[in-house]
Amino acid sequence: MTDSNRTPQHIAVIMDGNGRWATAHGLPRILGHRAGAAAVRRVVEACSELGVQVLTLYAFSWENWDRPADEVHDLMQLLNEFLVAETPRLLENRIRLRAIGRLHELPPSVQEHLGRVIECTASLDRMTLVLALSYGSRQEIVDAARRLAEQVQQGALRPEQIDESRLAAHLSTSDLPDPDLLIRTSGEQRLSNFLLWQSSYAELYVTPRLWPDFSREDLLDAIADYERRERRFGQVTDSTRGLHIPLSDPATLPHNGASRC
Ligand code: FPP
């Protein structure tokens, strides 16, 4: 069971392991991605039932363009099929679709399907499903920095006015809460250029499960693990405060002024 008061508001997922799943089953990689799309359906449904507000899925990274052309083509086709097939379910479950990333780099057919589904789900409010497509976090931060630089150049902004909130306002996630829980499947312990800025204080959960096998129970395990954690955001809390022993004034310490070694 999850504790609804502590359910993460925003879950982000690095869906990894489709290729290894396919290899383990003696199947072509695309069938691993198809099985991955079925896992997407399961997790979207479970998150909306559990009251998660935002689910962000790393569906195609900026670096994924360097995969063999036929795999990229198959993934784009799968994405189109998913968008067509899932629209009724999104509408029925009041799920708003969003997309982040360099969307203009996607094939025109994907841009059209995405645009249509985003438009027709825009007013839905039970959960927001964010697909990260042609997404790279470094690229996103560079784009934001460029826009701030343009404002400075135009005289609309002074350099000293640039702070965290101004930079965050130029990220594609500016209207979304930061992820509370970041799940990565397939055992790899990397962020792989995903939501680097936004995940500064996310709780990381790595599971060896390959994405196509990721089940509702696996999601519940991840959430239960998150709920047991204490989030400190760099602060000290009651359980970590410990004893306070006053230290001597550094000026009175015997080695003050001695060699720095
Ligand atoms: C990583 O597995 C996964 C991807 C590059 C694509 C993710 C796509 C899906 C889950 C299916 C389609 C998504 C939607 C939203 C319909 P990998 O291929 O890198 O696996 P490997 O590391 O085992 O080779």
Side-chain angles (χ1 to χ4, degrees), residues 15-20 29 33 36-37 59 64 67 78 82 131 211:
M15 309 182 288
D16 196 11
N18 295 351
R20 274 162 285 171
R29 288 180 62 83
H33 294 311
N64 285 158
R67 291 195 173 200
L78 182 57
F82 176 88
L131 295 182
W211 176 251

Side-chain angles (χ1 to χ4, degrees), residues 14-23 29 32-41 57-61 64 67 71 75 78-83 86 129 131 133 184 186 188 190 210-212:
I14 303 177
M15 309 182 288
D16 196 11
N18 295 351
R20 274 162 285 171
W21 184 93
T23 304
R29 288 180 62 83
H33 294 311
R34 280 195 182 278
V40 168
R41 230 165 270 134
L57 301 177
Y58 204 6
F60 192 84
S61 74
N64 285 158
R67 291 195 173 200
E71 182 171 348
L75 273 167
L78 182 57
L79 195 55
N80 275 339
E81 286 173 24
F82 176 88
L83 290 168
E86 288 311 298
L129 169 62
L131 295 182
L133 293 165
R184 180 162 190 155
S186 92
E188 308 289 353
R190 292 189 285 279
L210 301 177
W211 176 251

Side-chain angles (χ1 to χ4, degrees), residues 6 178-181 201-203 226 229-234 237:
R6 304 198 64 197
D178 283 345
D180 301 298
L181 170 62
Y201 288 99
E203 294 295 323
Y226 166 86
R229 298 190 195 180
E230 183 185 44
R231 301 187 75 193
R232 296 200 292 273
F233 299 95
T237 62

Side-chain angles (χ1 to χ4, degrees), residues 104-124:
H104 60 277
E105 294 172 349
L106 295 167
S109 66
V110 177
Q111 292 188 44
E112 277 162 34
H113 281 109
L114 259 184
R116 183 184 53 75
V117 185
I118 287 171
E119 195 181 316
C120 71
T121 61
S123 64
L124 305 179

Side-chain angles (χ1 to χ4, degrees), residues 244-253:
H244 176 71
I245 301 171
L247 295 176
S248 311
D249 180 344
T252 67
L253 288 175

